[in-house]
C-alpha cells in the first residue's frame, strides 16, 4: 500500500499525460480491476449517480460491474478529464487516451492493455520501486488488504469480479 502511495506521489502532473497516468495508476490501485478493464473504459463509464461517482467496468467473460469511486480517485480522474478537454465528447469515446509519442499530447484512440502495463512498469522504475511489481500487484494488494480489514468475502468477491470465492 505504501508503494502505491509512493508511486502516485512520484508522477509529474504538470501535463496531461502525467494526469492521465496518475488517474490510471489510482484506478488500478483503488478498484482492484484488471488492466484490460481499465483499457476498455469509456467516458460514459465514469458517471455521477447523484451522490458519488461510479466506474462501470467491462470485465473478461462479458461481465459488467459498477464500483463506487473514492474521493481522491474522483479528483484524479476529473483533473485528467478537464486537462484533456474531453468532458463534452461522446460517452462511447475512450476515457484513457494514448499519447502521441513524447509530445505530451493525447490522441483520440484508447490506451491499450499492453501500453497500460508498459506505463506501470515505466512509472515503477521512475519511482525507484521494484520491477517485479505489475498492474496485477495492485489487484492482489487491494483484495488482500480488504480481506485483512474484515470486509465480507462477498463484497471483495464482487469488487474483484470473481465468480468463485477461491
Amino acid at each position: 500500500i505504501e508503494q502505491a502511495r509512493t508511486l502516485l506521489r512520484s508522477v509529474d502532473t504538470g501535463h496531461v499525460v502525467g494526469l492521465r497516468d496518475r488517474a490510471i495508476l489510482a484506478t488500478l490501485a483503488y478498484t482492484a480491476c484488471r488492466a484490460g478493464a481499465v483499457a476498455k473504459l469509456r467516458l460514459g463509464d465514469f458517471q455521477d449517480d447523484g451522490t458519488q461517482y461510479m466506474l462501470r467496468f467491462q470485465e473478461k467473460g462479458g461481465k459488467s460491474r459498477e464500483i463506487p469511486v473514492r474521493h481522491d480517485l474522483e479528483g484524479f480522474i476529473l483533473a485528467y478529464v478537464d486537462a484533456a478537454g474531453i468532458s463534452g465528447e461522446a460517452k462511447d469515446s475512450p476515457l484513457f487516451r494514448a499519447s502521441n509519442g513524447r509530445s505530451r499530447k493525447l490522441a483520440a484512440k484508447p490506451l491499450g492493455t499492453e501500453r497500460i502495463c508498459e506505463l506501470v512498469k515505466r512509472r515503477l522504475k521512475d519511482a525507484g520501486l521494484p520491477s517485479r511489481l505489475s498492474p496485477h500487484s495492485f489487484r492482489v494488494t487491494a483484495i488482500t488488504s480488504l480481506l485483512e480489514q474484515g470486509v465480507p468475502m462477498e463484497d471483495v468477491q464482487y469488487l474483484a469480479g470473481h465468480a468463485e470465492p477461491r
Side-chain angles (χ1 to χ4, degrees), residues 1 3-13 16-35 38-39 41 55 57 70 72-74 76-77 80 95-96 111 115-127 129 133-139 141-142:
I1 293 172
Q3 290 173 324
R5 288 183 184 126
T6 298
L7 182 60
L8 290 173
R9 284 191 304 263
S10 74
V11 178
D12 174 7
T13 57
V16 70
V17 173
L19 290 166
R20 178 205 64 192
D21 291 1
R22 181 181 64 179
I24 289 170
L25 294 167
T27 301
L28 289 165
Y30 296 147
T31 65
C33 66
R34 296 172 178 89
V38 174
L41 284 172
L55 277 170
F57 291 99
R70 295 168 44 127
D72 46 359
L73 176 56
E74 174 187 327
F76 294 158
I77 295 174
Y80 155 68
L95 177 59
F96 296 119
L111 190 64
R115 294 289 177 252
I116 289 175
C117 293
E118 291 169 0
L119 172 157
V120 170
K121 288 296 191 180
R122 184 177 69 254
R123 293 294 185 176
L124 286 166
K125 182 180 177 187
D126 291 349
L129 294 169
L133 298 175
S134 70
H136 197 73
S137 301
F138 294 116
R139 185 170 164 76
T141 299

Side-chain angles (χ1 to χ4, degrees), residues 10-166:
S10 74
V11 178
D12 174 7
T13 57
H15 50 85
V16 70
V17 173
L19 290 166
R20 178 205 64 192
D21 291 1
R22 181 181 64 179
I24 289 170
L25 294 167
T27 301
L28 289 165
Y30 296 147
T31 65
C33 66
R34 296 172 178 89
V38 174
K40 291 178 187 173
L41 284 172
R42 298 292 174 240
L43 203 52
D45 294 329
F46 177 61
Q47 51 190 288
D48 186 354
D49 72 357
T51 59
Q52 77 177 97
Y53 275 88
M54 306 286 281
L55 277 170
R56 184 180 336 116
F57 291 99
Q58 302 302 317
E59 293 282 359
K60 67 181 190 178
K63 291 184 258 178
S64 174
R65 62 193 169 98
E66 284 190 349
I67 297 176
V69 174
R70 295 168 44 127
H71 292 294
D72 46 359
L73 176 56
E74 174 187 327
F76 294 158
I77 295 174
L78 288 172
Y80 155 68
V81 167
D82 183 53
I86 60 174
S87 62
E89 291 192 10
K91 298 293 181 195
D92 63 345
S93 62
L95 177 59
F96 296 119
R97 314 289 175 97
S99 56
N100 288 324
R102 299 195 180 268
S103 69
R104 292 188 174 168
K105 294 190 188 317
L106 299 178
K109 65 182 183 176
L111 190 64
T113 304
E114 188 174 317
R115 294 289 177 252
I116 289 175
C117 293
E118 291 169 0
L119 172 157
V120 170
K121 288 296 191 180
R122 184 177 69 254
R123 293 294 185 176
L124 286 166
K125 182 180 177 187
D126 291 349
L129 294 169
S131 61
R132 65 176 165 68
L133 298 175
S134 70
H136 197 73
S137 301
F138 294 116
R139 185 170 164 76
V140 171
T141 299
I143 291 168
T144 302
S145 176
L146 291 170
L147 291 172
E148 288 173 349
Q149 293 173 49
V151 174
M153 176 66 82
E154 299 78 28
D155 294 342
V156 176
Q157 184 178 338
Y158 176 79
L159 178 69
H162 286 162
E164 296 291 326
R166 291 177 274 119

